Amino acid sequence: MTVQNDDRAEAAGSPAAPEATATGADGPGAAPEADGQGGEALEVWIDQDLCTGDGICAQYAPEVFELDIDGLAYVKSADDELLQEPGATTPVPLPLLTDVRDSAKECPGDCIHVRRISDKVEIYGPDAG
């Protein structure tokens, strides 16, 4: 038996396979969380005490990061709400994994932390092993 990829479904914006929804309060239809290593979901947070306000993160991944009126970067919820609580986290959508990872690598303040949700181990950012 052979399986053919239906390019028409992909061209119309329909995924070839069903997508899993993100965990947490993101609701149905939210983008799947990023697969960091071994299929594990990831989350990201910003340490505002170290943020230099350069906005590189918001340039790389404006769907995840935003500069606030105070000049500091914050993560955003799946509903595009700015999460201003210290240590607030948001899931990393799979399509944005590269942009979020690059944001953590390029951040001059070394304040972006990407970690596995399951065990809170940082995989990208200043505390990554």
Side-chain angles (χ1 to χ4, degrees), residues 12-105:
S14 299
E19 292 183 295
T21 57
T23 57
D26 299 329
E33 295 170 350
D35 175 20
Q37 315 211 325
E40 297 210 38
L42 302 177
E43 64 187 3
V44 60
W45 66 280
I46 295 178
D47 183 345
Q48 279 77 28
D49 290 336
L50 300 176
C51 180
T52 58
D54 288 88
I56 292 171
C57 56
Q59 291 175 12
Y60 273 106
E63 303 88 347
V64 177
F65 305 107
E66 184 176 321
L67 291 176
D68 196 19
I69 194 167
D70 63 5
L72 301 177
Y74 295 86
V75 295
K76 299 190 312 186
S77 71
D79 296 329
D80 208 36
E81 177 187 345
L82 203 62
L83 303 176
Q84 296 177 302
E85 305 82 32
T89 64
T90 195
V92 178
L94 183 57
L96 299 176
L97 174 59
T98 300
D99 295 333
V100 171
R101 181 195 64 213
D102 290 346
S103 296
K105 287 182 178 180

